[in-house]
Amino acid sequence: MLEVALIYGFINSVILALTALGFSLTFGISGVSNFAYGAMYIFAGYASWLLLNKLAIPFFLAASIAVFLTALLGAAMYRFVLLRVRGLVISEVIATFGVGLIILELFRYLGFSGFEYTLPVFSDGSLLIGNTYVDYQRIWIVGVGLFLAVGLYLFIHHTKLGLAFRGIAQDEHTALSLGINSDRIAGISVAFGSGLAAVAAILILPRGTISVNDGYDVLINAMAVCIIGGLGSSVGVVLASFLIGYAQITTDILSGPHWKMIISLIAILLILVVKPSGLLGKQKELEERI
Amino acid sequence: MKKLFLMTNLIIGLFAILLLSPSYAADPILIGVPTAETALEGRESIKAIEMAVEEINAKGGVKVGADKRLLKVTVSDLRDASAGVPVSEALLGLEKIITEKKVHAILVGPFRSESLLAGMDIIAKYKVPLLETIAMSPKFEEKIKEDPVKYKHCFRVCLNAPFLVNYLVESLGVLKQEFGFNKLYVMSQDVLWAKATSEGTAKVAAAKMGYETVGSETYPTGASDFSAGLMKAKMKEANVILPMFDMPQSGILLKQWKSQRIPTLLCGFISPMAGPGAWKIFEGKIGGLLNANFELGSAIAVEKYPPATKFYNDYAKKFGVPMEAGHGPAPSYDSVYILAEAIERAGSLDPDKIADEIKKTDRQGVIGRIKFNDGHQVIYGADPKETAAGCVSQWTEDGKRVIVFPKSIADGNIALPEWITPAKK
């Protein structure tokens, strides 16, 4: 059982990290709210499904188009909704959460519910690790997840665009004085984050069915990982993913799946009480409050 | 003068024809269909109702005394299959369709047993005949037996949990006899009917067949990761996993079972696996599963019982796609005929008289021979010529379904997937 917990805990952690990367990039690193993140994830899933099943486009092409469309949707949301309330954090949260609700509940209203909404796996079969079988899709998730986590770290620390993402969150006025168009950068950040949500969806959804309710769960998990890891810290995101990921799997094995579902929420509460800026968070002013 | 006489005769003649012929101008009999439209079982049950209504209307409708009246359907979405929807909301929808639409009878009914049990009091309050075809809790019959006068308008046509338990226990008996299996691992959805059925099956299988339950797991509606539970079943060396789920996400259990190569046979009910489309949707990774279809005709053709096969084929012909819900459509279709015949025998739309006549039903339908017991539940058994029936079929590795239980309609025997070995040689 220990072997199972270690292997599946690791996979679950990478899934959480992959789920949270886009949210972390937009909200954590650039300081722009995107609480429609879960809806973007589900949008990408349904878009791929429609392209694959209704237009008979090959899966990988359909998935690529879905990622592009989701990024476009993120950019459109920024241009037509977020831009008008930019800088008013509460308004940003409410507006984007509202957009997310509209997208998710529209899918529900249109009848996108049922077991037929499932995406194909990248490759079939399983790998035997010790005495535990792991399907290839999970191996893909681990591979791509780790690649993206490292890639994101390098991107935000070593590219001009990545530094601009961080710059507008640290001090927007200084960033502006250095020639960074903060509105444009924020828009790109939302589009990038949405695109990452889509990549996560394409990888993770073949393990199950596409369900509107997953959109809410994805948002909660992504928020939990970012808050616990610390806003603005990509290493913190990975660390928090592993903490929550292993906690979830251990709870599932020892107590059952019901308790697993509240781990993220308990973790958010605990970290807010003990260390509000998160494990590796940069917002030290939060620390000073307690 | 002659012209006036001719015209008068013509008008009198027309009136005479209208008065003497069966009246089609009378108001239609309004059937309320409140259920969960988001659930496959709900959607396909509605279609089955429409199918039966069209057939009856094509023959002129239902005779109520001297009049022939057409049937009309009004649908309302109770949403009670969705996670997080409170029972109170479903009850509100149920009451609304009765009070606002003024329906003469209710078919299909609430999706969740939780809603049905609470909804029975609404049915009793407004005295509208109900023929339930989805929710399965045995508490429905208990309530009727406790107060048969109050709940005289409540009936259930679909399979209930105790009858399903019988089918599953008998199938487990075959598995023990043929392969020596005796260790059970229960995985069920955290809803009333699923828990009652799985717990009941484990209990009866222990008492009658000597099965030991080595572990159990309940999953909240919407859960989609079963890997830890599957691993636990493997670690505890279970021979059979008893799954009990009616949520779309449960189909993924099969994919995970196959990709993790869990050496334990699955025998129970996973709703997405009940129809022919499961093979393609789940990429052929469902071979070996033993799955129940709750009623004959519900997403399964039965070679040895032609009415079920006819219904299954007619449905596909009418709607252009095969039926996928293994629970609901066939009894829903039959319930329209049960209601129509009861109205004709009662000769009126008086709910008390209709309820009295429904109770006397004895007809050969799609699901088998339909008769109600004293809990107003259609009796299910092993031979569709004697009682209504469900069945257990096995998905083969080439994407077919072979009925393995009950023996009266079986097409073949249970075969183990290649990675599962018998417990006895």
Side-chain angles (χ1 to χ4, degrees), chain A residues 75-91:
Chain A
M77 180 181 74
Y78 180 80
R79 173 65 185 81
F80 297 109
V81 180
L82 258 177
L83 192 58
R84 292 161 198 272
V85 291
R86 179 118 160 74
L88 306 164
V89 180
I90 296 291
S91 301

Side-chain angles (χ1 to χ4, degrees), chain B residues 128-146:
Chain B
V128 180
L130 161 74
L131 288 160
E132 171 68 38
T133 64
I134 294 184
M136 295 174 64
S137 170
K139 288 192 169 65
F140 174 85
E141 293 145 78
E142 287 169 22
K143 274 184 92 165
I144 291 169
K145 283 178 189 168
E146 275 168 22

Side-chain angles (χ1 to χ4, degrees), chain B residues 81-303:
Chain B
S82 305
V85 174
V87 168
S88 56
E89 199 177 311
L91 297 182
L92 208 64
L94 183 64
E95 193 159 15
K96 211 173 157 190
I97 202 169
I98 297 171
T99 54
E100 287 186 8
K101 303 275 183 180
K102 314 279 182 206
V103 294
H104 294 105
I106 287 177
L107 305 185
V108 186
F111 185 92
R112 290 264 167 253
S113 295
E114 290 86 338
S115 313
L116 171 65
L117 295 173
M120 287 170 75
D121 290 306
I122 293 175
I123 298 294
K125 183 179 165 188
Y126 294 103
K127 298 185 190 305
V128 180
L130 161 74
L131 288 160
E132 171 68 38
T133 64
I134 294 184
M136 295 174 64
S137 170
K139 288 192 169 65
F140 174 85
E141 293 145 78
E142 287 169 22
K143 274 184 92 165
I144 291 169
K145 283 178 189 168
E146 275 168 22
D147 196 342
V149 177
K150 183 179 177 186
Y151 300 115
K152 74 174 284 187
H153 304 92
C154 299
F155 295 87
R156 180 158 58 194
V157 188
C158 64
L159 186 80
N160 68 359
F163 286 126
L164 176 58
V165 166
N166 284 346
Y167 289 139
L168 295 173
V169 169
E170 293 296 332
S171 303
L172 288 172
V174 175
L175 290 174
K176 180 164 189 180
Q177 199 182 352
E178 290 188 14
F179 308 111
F181 291 164
N182 63 357
K183 285 183 183 172
L184 196 62
Y185 194 89
V186 178
M187 293 174 91
S188 80
Q189 194 174 333
D190 191 5
V191 287
L192 207 56
W193 81 267
K195 282 195 295 183
T197 307
S198 54
E199 282 164 13
T201 306
K203 207 171 155 187
V204 180
K208 279 174 82 174
M209 316 281 179
Y211 267 89
E212 178 196 354
T213 303
V214 293
S216 67
E217 206 82 77
T218 56
Y219 292 84
T221 301
S224 61
D225 189 2
F226 306 94
S227 46
L230 287 168
M231 283 298 175
K232 275 193 254 183
K234 184 182 172 183
M235 297 297 168
K236 293 186 174 177
E237 295 177 342
N239 305 123
V240 184
I241 292 172
L242 177 72
M244 208 58 63
F245 294 94
D246 66 11
M247 58 188 188
Q249 294 86 349
S250 58
I252 216 62
L253 170 62
L254 259 292
K255 265 187 172 179
Q256 291 173 358
W257 169 68
K258 200 133 195 180
S259 62
Q260 290 177 234
R261 294 180 80 81
I262 304 296
T264 311
L265 195 66
L266 279 162
C267 173
F269 179 70
I270 301 175
S271 61
M273 297 300 142
W279 183 257
K280 193 179 165 211
I281 289 166
F282 294 99
E283 299 155 2
K285 289 183 182 147
I286 58 178
L289 167 72
L290 286 158
N291 204 43
N293 281 64
F294 289 0
E295 303 95 14
L296 300 187
S298 287
I300 195 156
V302 185
E303 209 175 296

Side-chain angles (χ1 to χ4, degrees), chain A residues 7-258:
Chain A
I7 293 171
Y8 277 84
F10 185 83
I11 295 165
N12 194 42
S13 305
V14 177
I15 288 173
L16 276 175
L18 186 60
T19 305
L21 281 179
F23 187 76
S24 164
L25 177 76
T26 310
F27 188 57
I29 293 165
S30 305
V32 185
S33 305
N34 180 6
F35 283 75
Y37 186 75
M40 299 293 176
Y41 177 93
I42 293 302
F43 174 85
Y46 282 126
S48 309
W49 187 89
L50 286 168
L51 292 166
L52 178 70
N53 291 286
K54 299 293 172 190
L55 300 180
I57 295 174
F59 176 60
F60 284 103
L61 181 58
S64 307
I65 297 172
V67 172
F68 176 72
L69 287 176
T70 312
L72 210 61
L73 181 67
M77 180 181 74
Y78 180 80
R79 173 65 185 81
F80 297 109
V81 180
L82 258 177
L83 192 58
R84 292 161 198 272
V85 291
R86 179 118 160 74
L88 306 164
V89 180
I90 296 291
S91 301
E92 283 184 15
V93 171
I94 293 170
T96 53
F97 190 69
V99 171
L101 274 180
I102 291 168
I103 294 170
L104 288 174
E105 294 308 317
L106 189 66
F107 278 121
R108 200 195 301 277
Y109 176 76
L110 293 174
F112 282 81
S113 152
F115 62 85
E116 66 270 37
Y117 296 102
T118 179
L119 297 176
V121 292
F122 287 19
S123 46
D124 219 352
S126 314
L127 187 70
L128 188 63
I129 304 172
N131 289 315
T132 307
Y133 278 98
V134 179
D135 54 287
Y136 287 145
Q137 188 64 24
R138 281 183 161 84
I139 307 286
W140 270 102
I141 291 172
V142 169
V144 177
L146 293 177
F147 173 78
L148 283 179
V150 173
L152 187 68
Y153 179 84
L154 294 174
F155 171 73
I156 59 169
H157 285 89
H158 299 287
T159 66
K160 271 191 175 177
L161 188 59
L163 290 169
F165 281 1
R166 291 168 66 200
I168 61 165
Q170 282 169 9
D171 194 321
E172 193 163 347
H173 291 106
T174 311
L176 275 167
S177 69
L178 290 170
I180 296 170
N181 182 341
S182 66
D183 282 341
R184 194 169 144 262
I185 294 297
I188 295 172
S189 168
V190 174
F192 254 56
S194 303
L196 279 172
V199 172
I202 303 299
L203 278 157
I204 297 168
L205 287 173
R207 288 167 55 248
T209 47
I210 313 167
S211 154
V212 169
N213 291 339
D214 283 353
Y216 299 105
D217 293 341
V218 162
L219 179 63
I220 290 172
N221 280 331
M223 268 171 57
V225 166
C226 288
I227 291 169
I228 292 158
L231 295 177
S233 168
S234 46
V235 179
V237 165
V238 175
L239 184 64
S241 299
F242 274 82
L243 277 175
I244 300 176
Y246 272 105
Q248 282 182 340
I249 284 292
T250 312
T251 311
D252 193 352
I253 289 171
L254 297 177
S255 313
H258 271 288

